[in-house]
Amino acid sequence: MASVASQVNEVSKGGAVRAAQYVRMSTEHQQYSTQNQADVIAQYAARKGFEIVRTYEDAGKSGLNIGGRPSLQHLIADVRGGIADFSVILVYDISRWGRFQDADESAYYEFICREAGIPVHYCAEQFENDGSLTTTVIKSMKRVMSGEYSRELSVKVSAGQERLIHLGFRQGGPAGYGLRRLLVDEYRQPKAELRRGEHKSIQTDRVVLVPGPPREVETVCRLYRMFVVQRRSEKEIAAVLNAEGLLTDLGRPWTRGTVHQILTNEKYIGNNIFNRVSSKLKTKRVRNAPDMWVRENGAFTPVVEADFFEAAQRIIQERSRRFTDQELLDRLSALLAEKGWLSGLVIDEVEDMPSSSTFRQRFGSLMRAYQLVGYTPARDYRYIETNRALRALHPNVVADVIAGIRSVGAEVAQNPVNDLLRVNQEFSAALVIARAQETSAGGLRWKIRLDSGLRPDITIAARMDASNTGVQDYYFLPWLDVGATPSLRLAPDNGILLDAYRFENLDAFVDLTRRISVREVA
């Protein structure tokens, strides 16, 4: 059945073509205010003979994905459903359509509109919206650049956050029972206490943790004494505090889990820890390994003596040692049968149950423990195991490269810090593993990051197969040819300019390192 867009008379009063505009503003510069975008779009529409009949606006929304942008979802749904009463879509520029990390996703949503006979026009771009080869190439580059802008900004923000952690400033999150968030100026002079839900409003202001009301501080210290000296369990301590009518910082009764959190959080001895969990660029939340945490010890005034905290950790660890691996799994299976689902909080709330951190330490991760008892969470955490497998694979591939080079009589030295290879004292090589990622359209893509700090003469990119269990092929990328690009995004086939560097195995690279005598060449 023909779409509404094809049935609607394209020409309205005055001979203008009916158009919809899409505007989006996150928290960026004023040039991207929705009003400024609308002004530019209006000028473009007047020049082209378009009449704007509908506006889709996502104000204060990130362009990293479509998930948090209801107006763009609405626009796409109208187009797909054949109920769009316009014949063209006007957008300020490529970045307002989205800063998708996969450039193909940006193109995919545009393709949906174009397939329905509704082209997308970018009004502030320098190229013509004519579908020519030049326009297509420039649009592809701009999509990649828009995504790269967000990636570079993420790196800068992470570096800034790490610096602030080392300077002793708090980076988000509630203070917790017995602590308070204090707002300080750029000279560390106190300004005001921040209540729950309040945030700083001046960019140069910072937040530090300070001890809370004396009664709360004494309760925290007493909690540690009951656990360490009197050897009471978390459940018993919670019962004592509830009997006294005390509530947590959230105004709720105490539970085993809330007591356990206070006993295990280093902020109570003044340590500032960040990046235990991360979710960069709107990706899934990942619980990071301790070696990835950013910490600054002694950043805040402690509420609890370090000796008490360390004694509490020893008790918790010793308590978990009583159980064999099978006993831990049996208890986890019983909890799953009782609750029907599992989480770290569910585990921590059960009396006489080892803490969730025990399962992480014993089995490597909670996900591994879940897998052993046959539980699969609703969210897909397979990427965690994939990344772990790829990290383990990297040294093996490096070893294969080194062995191959030495097998032909060449010399190779490996830098123990960054794994950079120096071959025959003549050129350097670095190895990267490219994980296969499935796009929303069901295709495969591989992202290769080139190390601009090391600047290796050749980057060996091992491209994984669709299951990420084995190496599919290799790209040997010379820095002189591709070094200007911080990263490459590969499809199954990429044209002669890239696939000329593609090989099925390492033989070609190993042969490149082979020394040939001058007489043999002559």
Side-chain angles (χ1 to χ4, degrees):
M1 185 173 66
S3 67
V4 171
S6 64
Q7 297 175 23
V8 171
N9 185 358
E10 288 189 358
V11 181
S12 60
K13 58 183 179 180
V17 175
R18 297 172 64 86
Q21 64 175 346
Y22 173 74
V23 293
R24 178 186 68 83
M25 180 183 179
S26 56
T27 55
E28 298 173 4
H29 307 294
Q30 184 62 27
Q31 74 179 85
Y32 284 135
S33 72
T34 53
Q35 185 56 53
N36 285 348
Q37 293 175 55
D39 290 344
V40 172
I41 292 173
Q43 296 170 17
Y44 181 91
R47 292 197 306 270
K48 297 293 185 178
F50 298 149
E51 178 192 3
I52 300 173
V53 298
R54 188 174 300 278
T55 296
Y56 297 85
E57 178 180 345
D58 280 321
K61 302 298 183 181
S62 168
L64 288 171
N65 56 41
I66 198 172
R69 298 159 66 185
S71 290
L72 181 58
Q73 294 178 41
H74 188 191
L75 187 156
I76 298 298
D78 286 351
V79 171
R80 273 178 161 163
I83 60 175
D85 58 351
F86 44 84
S87 301
V88 65
I89 298 170
L90 306 180
V91 186
Y92 180 79
D93 65 7
I94 293 286
S95 70
R96 296 306 89 196
W97 187 248
R99 297 191 184 277
F100 298 98
Q101 297 307 288
D102 187 340
D104 289 342
E105 185 177 0
S106 178
Y108 170 67
Y109 297 128
E110 184 179 335
F111 170 75
I112 291 174
C113 300
R114 189 170 64 249
E115 187 179 37
I118 306 176
V120 179
H121 286 223
Y122 299 102
C123 305
E125 298 287 7
Q126 299 302 310
F127 56 79
E128 292 293 333
N129 296 283
D130 56 5
S132 65
L133 176 61
T134 300
T135 296
T136 301
V137 171
I138 295 176
K139 278 204 294 187
S140 298
M141 293 177 59
K142 290 260 188 174
R143 290 184 186 116
V144 174
M145 290 166 61
S146 294
E148 189 61 30
Y149 170 86
S150 295
R151 286 189 287 272
E152 291 178 355
L153 182 62
S154 175
V155 172
K156 293 176 183 177
V157 169
S158 296
Q161 289 175 322
E162 182 173 344
R163 176 177 174 273
L164 292 175
I165 289 297
H166 290 307
L167 290 175
F169 298 122
R170 178 77 168 174
Q171 291 296 294
Y177 188 87
L179 296 168
R180 292 294 185 270
R181 294 181 302 146
L182 179 66
L183 186 66
V184 299
D185 64 19
E186 58 186 317
Y187 303 108
R188 293 180 182 265
Q189 295 301 310
K191 297 184 69 174
E193 180 184 304
L194 292 177
R195 292 190 294 270
R196 176 171 290 276
E198 292 183 341
H199 304 279
K200 70 185 187 74
S201 57
I202 301 177
Q203 187 174 7
T204 55
D205 285 351
R206 300 290 178 236
V207 177
V208 297
L209 289 184
V210 295
R215 183 182 181 185
E216 288 189 18
V217 172
E218 172 55 29
T219 299
V220 172
C221 294
R222 187 159 64 98
L223 184 153
Y224 271 82
R225 289 196 297 270
M226 284 191 287
F227 185 77
V228 173
V229 179
Q230 300 176 16
R231 292 301 179 103
R232 298 193 181 188
S233 68
E234 290 100 322
K235 187 174 183 179
E236 291 174 334
I237 295 173
V240 170
L241 299 179
N242 288 331
E244 296 176 0
L246 297 178
L247 299 175
T248 67
D249 55 312
L250 297 177
R252 300 170 183 170
W254 291 85
T255 66
R256 179 185 186 274
T258 53
V259 172
H260 183 81
Q261 289 172 1
I262 291 180
L263 290 171
T264 56
N265 199 314
E266 293 186 41
K267 64 186 177 184
Y268 289 99
I269 56 172
N271 293 347
N272 197 14
I273 302 179
F274 184 69
N275 202 42
R276 283 181 286 197
V277 177
S278 60
S279 177
K280 296 181 179 179
L281 297 172
K282 300 293 183 180
T283 57
K284 296 178 180 178
R285 288 171 60 85
V286 179
R287 185 176 294 276
N288 297 317
D291 59 351
M292 295 178 63
W293 296 358
V294 181
R295 66 162 53 242
E296 182 66 22
N297 294 335
F300 310 125
T301 302
V303 171
V304 176
E305 294 181 7
D307 289 345
F308 265 106
F309 183 85
E310 292 172 2
Q313 307 321 299
R314 287 195 295 270
I315 292 172
I316 292 172
Q317 292 173 7
E318 185 61 33
R319 186 173 58 190
S320 67
R321 290 195 186 100
R322 297 200 310 262
F323 303 102
T324 65
D325 289 357
Q326 189 57 50
E327 288 172 335
L328 288 175
L329 294 176
D330 289 343
R331 286 174 172 266
L332 196 61
S333 295
L335 182 59
L336 175 60
E338 177 186 349
K339 301 289 186 179
W341 64 289
L342 295 172
S343 72
L345 184 59
V346 168
I347 295 171
D348 288 336
E349 288 290 354
V350 179
E351 181 65 14
D352 293 331
M353 182 81 170
S355 65
S356 57
S357 58
T358 298
F359 288 92
R360 291 191 188 96
Q361 294 170 2
R362 189 72 66 87
F363 300 104
S365 68
L366 272 180
M367 286 305 303
R368 176 57 179 164
Y370 294 163
Q371 184 181 25
L372 291 173
V373 297
Y375 173 63
T376 302
R379 290 178 58 185
D380 184 3
Y381 289 88
R382 289 176 298 174
Y383 69 95
I384 299 177
E385 300 298 333
T386 297
N387 289 344
R388 182 181 293 113
L390 294 186
R391 286 195 295 270
L393 178 66
H394 187 274
N396 295 335
V397 179
V398 172
D400 290 343
V401 173
I402 293 175
I405 293 173
R406 289 173 175 166
S407 69
V408 296
E411 299 177 2
V412 58
Q414 180 182 10
N415 188 313
V417 176
N418 53 34
D419 287 333
L420 189 69
L421 302 180
R422 188 72 185 172
V423 182
N424 294 330
Q425 295 298 317
E426 296 170 351
F427 69 91
S428 59
L431 174 77
V432 297
I433 304 283
R435 177 166 62 95
Q437 297 176 296
E438 186 173 349
T439 68
S440 57
L444 290 178
R445 294 294 182 269
W446 294 261
K447 185 174 183 179
I448 299 174
R449 291 191 180 275
L450 303 174
D451 197 323
S452 58
L454 296 178
R455 294 176 63 91
D457 296 311
I458 296 178
T459 296
I460 305 171
R463 196 164 68 158
M464 301 300 291
D465 58 21
S467 63
N468 284 305
T469 57
V471 178
Q472 174 176 294
D473 51 28
Y474 298 86
Y475 279 75
F476 305 140
L477 303 169
W479 183 265
L480 288 176
D481 291 345
V482 300
T485 305
S487 64
L488 297 175
R489 198 168 194 86
L490 302 182
D493 296 295
N494 305 279
I496 188 64
L497 292 179
L498 280 175
D499 284 348
Y501 303 120
R502 176 180 174 181
F503 297 89
E504 297 298 323
N505 50 50
L506 293 167
D507 293 348
F509 178 79
V510 170
D511 193 58
L512 176 68
T513 67
R514 187 193 305 272
R515 288 184 173 232
I516 306 296
S517 67
V518 175
R519 178 174 298 176
E520 183 177 346
V521 173

